[in-house]
Amino acid sequence: MNAPRIHGIVLSGVGGQGVLSLAQILLEALRRSGLHALQSEIHGMSQRGGSVHAQVCYSEIPLTSPILDEGGADLLIALEPLEALRYVSMLRMDGHLVVSEEPQMDMTGYPPLDDIYAALKAVRGAHLIDTEDLARRLNHRQAGGMALLGMASRYLPIEDGVWRDVISQRFEAKGARVTDKNLEAFEAGRGLIHDPVGA
C-alpha cells in the first residue's frame, strides 16, 4: 500500500486578479474535506499589475511546509497566460493546467499572444478558457477566477457541497447577488471539463 503523498497546487496571476482570494477558498475547502493543507505566502509584487503567485499543499498526513519543488505541482491555476508560462515548470509530468486566455498587457515587451497560446497548448493536461467571453455571457466582470477554480475542482478531492459552502461564506458579506454570480461562474467553469482523466 502506497503512503499518502503530498499534493501541490500553484496559483498565478497579476496583482488585482484575486490570486490570494482563490488560494484562501481552496485552502478552506481542502481543510473542510478532512485534509491537511498549508498555503505559502504570496511571492512577487502584490500591487496591481505585478506578478503574484501562491502555493497550496495538501495531504492526508500532517504537513511541515507549503513550498513545492519544481515539477512538484499537480495543478496550476493561472489567471493570466504569460504568468502560466512563468510557472509551468512547477507542474508534474501528469499535472493539469487551467489558464485564462485573457492577457494583462500592462507590461512593456509582452510576447506575441499566439506564441504564448501555442506554448501553453503544448503542455500535456492544459485547458485554456476564454474568461473574457465567459464573463460577458454570465454578465459578471470578475467571473474568470471562479470559473478557473471550477475547472480545477474537477481534479481535486472536494465534494460539491463543500465548494458551495466555502464560496457562499466567502462572498456572503457582499450580498446574495454577488454570491450567486460567483457560484454561477464556478459551476460554469466546472461544466467545461467532463470526465477528467486522472481526477
Side-chain angles (χ1 to χ4, degrees), residues 28-88:
E28 181 64 18
L30 287 164
R31 287 176 172 169
R32 289 196 194 184
S33 300
L35 294 160
H36 297 273
L38 292 174
Q39 179 200 324
S40 72
E41 295 297 316
I42 295 296
H43 297 268
M45 302 175 69
S46 59
Q47 76 260 28
R48 189 168 295 276
S51 177
V52 179
H53 98 277
Q55 298 181 7
V56 175
C57 296
Y58 70 94
S59 181
E60 295 172 14
I61 56 175
L63 302 171
T64 56
S65 170
I67 305 300
L68 293 165
D69 293 327
E70 189 159 310
D74 300 271
L75 188 58
L76 170 57
I77 304 169
L79 282 74
E80 207 279 343
L82 185 57
E83 294 302 315
L85 274 186
R86 193 187 304 275
Y87 294 105
V88 79

Side-chain angles (χ1 to χ4, degrees), residues 12-13 19 48 60 71-72 78 88 108 124 145 147 166 191:
S12 68
V19 171
R48 189 168 295 276
E60 295 172 14
V88 79
T108 55
R124 185 176 177 270
V166 173

Side-chain angles (χ1 to χ4, degrees), residues 115-159:
D115 293 350
I116 295 174
Y117 294 153
L120 291 173
K121 287 173 181 174
V123 176
R124 185 176 177 270
H127 304 277
L128 279 69
I129 174 176
D130 185 344
T131 50
E132 194 172 16
D133 177 65
L134 183 66
R136 208 165 28 241
R137 286 191 283 118
L138 295 178
N139 191 28
H140 178 40
R141 187 170 56 86
Q142 296 175 311
M146 291 307 297
L148 289 170
L149 190 61
M151 292 176 76
S153 74
R154 302 282 290 189
Y155 303 106
L156 293 165
I158 301 169
E159 297 290 333

